[in-house]
Every structure is written in structure tokens, then in C-alpha cells.
């Protein structure tokens, strides 16, 4: 534990101390001309950091890792992972650093982490850098996810480095300062397991229990309880993604947290017209991480976590496998329960209605949305208008009027509450054309479109006049959208 020279910045090095085998002491590359682009002031305040100080030269130096609070021990973390189904025994932070942990205003331990801070021993062929556009994408989308109430890592700041990054073209470089309840991933457990060191695996599991799932420590089988808790957290998280139309894009096991927070906003994007086959990522050619596949992939990833944990679940291997299997069997019902409760709320239906009875009705609706290419986000707002008595705006979105009229009649008979719907169905999401517009402008030096987009998505449920273009679908000439990974 250390006391910083910077006002109020005290960083612990708990991960580095407790799991030294998974941490390589490292320092950030010092940017030539650091310039703060965006700062999440409410988040800074919640972390006990003074936003005004973070904007000073000294504060910005902390945000890029050039100034390390006295006693802090920045590390690159080791992890493994399945990338598109293929196991890679050593990935790790190739361009990222854990600066340390801090205690936020609510007394919770949070990681302060940098992305784009230079090559580390895990960099392999990479340059260790990040460009302004992708770091601002993570900033905007994680801000939107947080405002939507979806568990997520947070973006504290993006700082332009003054360095040029070579991608398909030359781009301005940036460092993202990220905050997370931890950076433990399924891939962290795969790494520990692959070392063959069961003591390390146990320490990692104990660390995860203490930080994220402390109730598991009270269980008779703490490691089975840890697995169950991660399964429950991920089932609930992925259900939230599905209900809002979020597509992560690269659900490799190194991008799935133990905390249940969304992490690593690379080729992510929000779906517009409802279609389970939607894929935006340029490298996901098989559609492994398509919108509709996300629950299946989450379950698959959790099976990799269970495999990694086997030596801790039971000393008898057969019994360990049986315990892992019954935990994993609980993922589908947990996911389905979270999804149906969420869908009941989206449809404005009463809490005392059995959520499973909503599923056939919701499935029928989704089929109609898909066949008429209806915009997923705006549909649920227009449906609230129908709940208030005017079904015309909703009907206009469909060609099969007999089918939607029949559906609307059965739904209205259940007594939907329009105001409740507007509290859970967002008006503003970071739509792809708006994100691209904001990132292109910011890359060219104009931050205004980004600021306006942030203002819209930071308050997603409250419709405001003047923000109509932030609620509208992409213009037809926006075309087929593609996102890129590892940038
Ligand atoms: P991701 O798909 O972004 O989660 O990254 C997968 C792996 O590639 C991680 O080990 C990253 O640290 C590493 N990586 C991605 N981009 C770079 C880069 N530009 N330089 C070094 N390592 C990178
Ligand atoms: Mg990653």
C-alpha cells in the first residue's frame, strides 16, 4: 500500500502481491505530447479523484502512466484464452497495464488500468499502441452501457499521446484509462491452470472470491460456489446485452470477466434492425459471435472456466467433472429467467405475470420484427405509444398488418404500462453511424460531435427535443456496417 505524491491517489498493488506469477512489473511508455481528450468527471469523483486536478499537467501524467504514485507497482497481467475457439496458452496485456487498485467512495476496490500504454513482454507482434478512434469508441460505448444500467468496465479518460500509430493508415495515438472491479478473466484461470501450479490456481480463485463473490467463501464448496456465481453473473449480463441489442463482437475467453462486467469494447456495436444473424466484426467471418449466438458462446466460455477450475472442485476427477457439469447445466435456465424477466419489463407487463408465459408472445414479436426489418430500439419506444392508445406508429413499421394487429390485441389485453416501458427501453443508444461520425471528427481534432453523442447516450431513457437525430436509425446510404478488432 502506498500514499501518492498526487493529491488523493492511493494505489494498492494487491493483484501484483497476491498473484506475482501472473504479473510482470512494467512501466508505460511516456507520451511526447499528452493531451486530455475526454474525462468522465462523475466517475473521477466517485473514485475519490479530483477532476480539476486530473486535468492538470500532473493529473494527465497519471492518466497515461508517466507519473506513478509513490509505492504503486504497475504490472502487465498474464492470461491465456480461447480466441475464436482456439486455445492460446499465453496472451496477457500486450499493450495494457494495471496501475493498481484504489478504493472508491463506496469502499469498493477498483482497478485503474491503461490501454495503449506501449509494448510489454506480452506484446508478441503488436506495437503496444492504440489509436484515438478505438479508445474513444470504448469510452462512448462503455459510458452508454453504464447509463443503460448494464454492468461494465468504465472509461475514466482518453488522452491523445501525440504519437502516430500505423494501422491501414497513420492515425493519432491515445491511451485509455479504464476502471474495472477487476481485470480477472476466464483466461486468467486458463493461464493459472495451464501452468500446472494448483496452489496458484487456488490463490487466484481465493482472490476472485474475496473481490467479487465473497458469499462463496461461506459455502461448503467455495470453488463450486465461485463457478456458480460467475455463471449467474454472466447469464444475467448476456441477457442484458440481448435485451438492448448489444453485440460484443469478440467474446473470446480472455474478454469475459469473472466479475460479470462487460469488458474490451473492440469491434462491438448495437444492432439496428432485429436479426439474430447480425455480425459487425470484420474478422468474425463464421458468425461465431453473432448477436443470436451470444448466450451459446457465453455458456461455452463458462465451460472453459469450469475446466480450468476442475482441480479445485473435487480431489476425485470424476466427481469434479460431475460438479462442473451440474453447475454448467444451470446456465440456460438462469439466462432464460433473466431474459424473460427483462422482456416482461420491456413489454410493460405486470411483475405478477409469470415471466415464462411472456416468452411465446415475445418470440412471436421478434419473428415479426425480423421479417419486417424493424429497428429494435425504436420499436419498443413506439410500442409504448401503442400502450397509450395510438397503435398507428407501431403498425406503420409492419407489412403484415393482420399479424401485428393480432399480436397487439393479445399484448394490450395483458395491461401494459407505457411509463414503465419508457423507463427500461432506451431512446438513445450509440448508433453505429453516429459513433463513426463522432470518431472520425475526433480523429481530425473536432470533439464536438463526440460530446453531443455522449450527452445523448449518458441519459438514454429520457426523450429530449432537439436530439431527434440521436434516436433515428442510420440513413440508408450508411450501408453495411463493419467494425475492426485489435486497433
Ligand atoms: P483483444 O482481442 O483486443 O482483447 O486482444 C487480444 C490480445 O492481443 C491481448 O493479449 C492484447 O494485449 C493483444 N493486443 C491487441 N492489440 C495489441 C497491440 N496493438 N499491441 C500489443 N498487443 C496487442
Ligand atoms: Mg482483450
Amino acid at each position: 500500500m502506498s500514499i501518492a505524491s498526487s493529491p488523493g491517489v492511493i494505489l494498492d498493488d494487491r493483484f501484483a502481491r497476491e498473484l506475482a506469477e501472473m504479473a510482470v512489473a512494467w512501466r508505460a511508455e511516456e507520451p511526447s505530447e499528452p493531451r486530455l481528450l475526454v474525462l468522465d468527471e462523475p466517475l473521477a469523483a466517485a473514485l475519490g479523484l479530483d477532476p480539476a486536478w486530473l486535468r492538470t499537467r500532473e493529473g494527465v501524467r497519471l492518466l497515461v502512466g508517466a507519473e506513478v504514485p509513490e509505492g504503486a507497482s504497475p504490472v502487465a497481467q498474464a492470461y491465456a484464452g480461447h480466441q475464436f475457439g482456439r486455445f492460446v496458452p499465453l496472451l496477457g496485456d500486450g499493450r495494457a497495464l494495471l496501475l493498481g487498485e484504489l478504493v472508491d467512495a463506496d469502499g469498493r476496490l477498483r482497478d485503474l488500468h491503461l490501454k495503449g500504454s506501449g509494448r510489454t513482454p506480452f506484446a508478441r507482434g503488436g506495437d503496444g499502441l492504440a489509436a484515438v478512434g478505438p479508445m474513444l469508441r470504448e469510452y462512448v460505448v462503455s459510458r452508454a452501457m453504464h447509463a443503460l444500467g448494464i454492468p461494465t468496465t468504465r472509461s475514466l479518460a482518453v488522452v491523445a499521446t501525440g504519437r502516430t500509430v500505423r494501422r491501414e493508415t497513420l492515425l493519432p495515438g491515445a491511451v485509455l484509462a479504464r476502471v474495472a472491479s477487476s481485470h480477472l478473466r476466464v483466461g486468467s484461470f486458463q493461464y493459472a491452470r495451464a501452468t500446472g501450479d494448483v496452489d496458484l490456481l487456488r490463490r487466484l480463485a481465493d482472490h476472485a472470491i474475496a473481490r467479487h463473490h465473497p458469499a462463496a467463501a461461506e459455502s461448503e464448496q467455495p470453488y463450486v460456489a465461485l463457478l456458480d456465481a460467475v455463471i449467474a453473473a454472466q447469464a444475467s449480463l448476456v441477457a442484458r446485452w440481448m435485451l438492448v441489442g448489444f453485440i460484443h463482437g469478440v467474446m473470446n475467453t480472455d474478454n469475459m470477466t469473472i466479475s460479470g462486467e462487460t469488458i474490451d469494447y473492440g469491434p462491438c456495436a448495437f444492432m439496428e434492425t432485429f436479426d439474430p444473424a447480425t455480425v459487425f466484426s470484420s474478422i468474425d467471418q463464421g458468425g461465431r459471435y453473432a448477436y443470436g449466438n451470444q448466450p451459446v458462446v457465453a455458456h461455452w466460455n463458462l465451460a472453459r472456466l469450469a475446466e480450468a477450475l476442475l482441480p479445485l472442485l473435487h480431489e476425485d476427477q470424476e466427481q469434479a467433472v460431475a460438479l462442473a457439469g451440474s453447475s454448467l447445466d444451470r446456465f440456460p435456465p438462469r439466462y432464460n429467467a433473466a431474459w424473460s424477466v427483462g422482456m416482461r419489463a420491456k413489454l410493460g407487463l405486470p411483475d405478477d405475470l409469470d415471466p415464462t408465459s411472456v416468452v411465446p408472445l415475445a418470440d412471436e414479436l421478434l419473428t415479426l420484427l425480423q421479417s419486417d426489418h424493424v429497428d429494435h430500439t425504436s420499436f419498443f419506444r413506439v410500442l409504448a405509444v401503442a400502450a397509450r392508445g395510438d397503435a398507428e406508429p407501431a403498425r406503420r413499421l409492419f407489412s403484415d398488418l393482420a399479424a401485428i394487429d393480432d399480436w397487439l390485441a393479445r399484448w394490450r389485453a395483458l395491461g401494459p404500462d407505457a411509463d414503465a416501458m419508457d423507463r427500461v427501453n432506451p431512446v438513445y443508444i450509440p448508433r453505429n453511424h453516429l459513433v463513426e461520425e463522432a470518431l472520425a471528427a475526433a480523429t481530425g481534432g473536432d470533439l464536438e460531435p463526440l460530446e453531443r453523442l455522449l450527452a445523448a447516450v449518458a441519459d438514454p431513457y429520457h426523450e429530449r427535443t432537439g436530439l431527434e437525430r440521436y434516436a433515428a436509425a442510420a440513413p440508408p446510404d450508411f450501408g453495411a456496417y463493419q467494425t475492426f478488432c485489435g486497433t
Side-chain angles (χ1 to χ4, degrees), residues 20-196:
E21 297 94 326
M22 297 179 65
V24 176
W26 204 254
R27 286 293 162 107
E29 198 173 277
E30 194 160 334
S32 51
E33 288 172 59
R35 190 166 55 87
L36 184 66
L37 297 180
V38 278
L39 174 70
D40 187 333
E41 297 206 351
L43 174 59
L47 294 171
L49 302 174
D50 175 6
W53 178 77
L54 284 173
R55 291 185 179 280
T56 66
R57 184 175 171 276
E58 221 194 337
V60 172
R61 284 175 60 77
L62 172 87
L63 290 170
V64 294
E67 191 71 48
V68 173
E70 211 181 295
S73 319
V75 294
Q77 292 178 297
Y79 51 83
H82 274 87
Q83 298 188 306
F84 289 89
R86 196 175 63 89
F87 185 61
V88 183
L90 183 58
L91 287 168
D93 290 334
R95 56 164 171 176
L97 287 180
L98 172 64
L99 288 180
E101 303 97 10
L102 48 77
V103 179
D104 71 13
D106 296 328
R108 290 175 307 174
L109 204 60
R110 312 274 285 266
D111 278 5
L112 182 58
H113 174 104
L114 305 178
K115 188 159 161 182
S117 50
R119 298 193 74 220
T120 76
F122 302 113
R124 295 171 291 160
D127 60 8
L129 304 175
V132 163
M135 295 308 98
L136 289 175
R137 171 192 288 278
E138 174 150 349
Y139 188 95
V140 150
V141 181
S142 62
R143 180 79 162 259
M145 293 289 269
H146 176 70
L148 289 164
I150 300 174
T152 178
T153 63
R154 309 283 304 277
S155 298
L156 177 60
V158 177
V159 179
T161 57
R163 215 187 135 157
T164 301
V165 179
R166 184 180 293 274
R167 294 292 179 259
E168 282 92 53
T169 56
L170 296 180
L171 295 168
V175 171
L176 169 77
R178 178 158 82 180
V179 174
S181 68
S182 90
H183 284 78
L184 301 181
R185 310 139 190 270
V186 169
S188 310
F189 282 84
Q190 293 180 288
Y191 175 85
R193 175 70 200 274
T195 66

Side-chain angles (χ1 to χ4, degrees), residues 79 83 91-93 95 115 178 185 248 250 252 254-256 263-265:
Y79 51 83
Q83 298 188 306
L91 287 168
D93 290 334
R95 56 164 171 176
K115 188 159 161 182
R178 178 158 82 180
R185 310 139 190 270
H248 183 282
V250 61
N252 293 333
D254 53 304
N255 291 339
M256 184 184 246
I263 195 170
D264 271 0
Y265 293 89

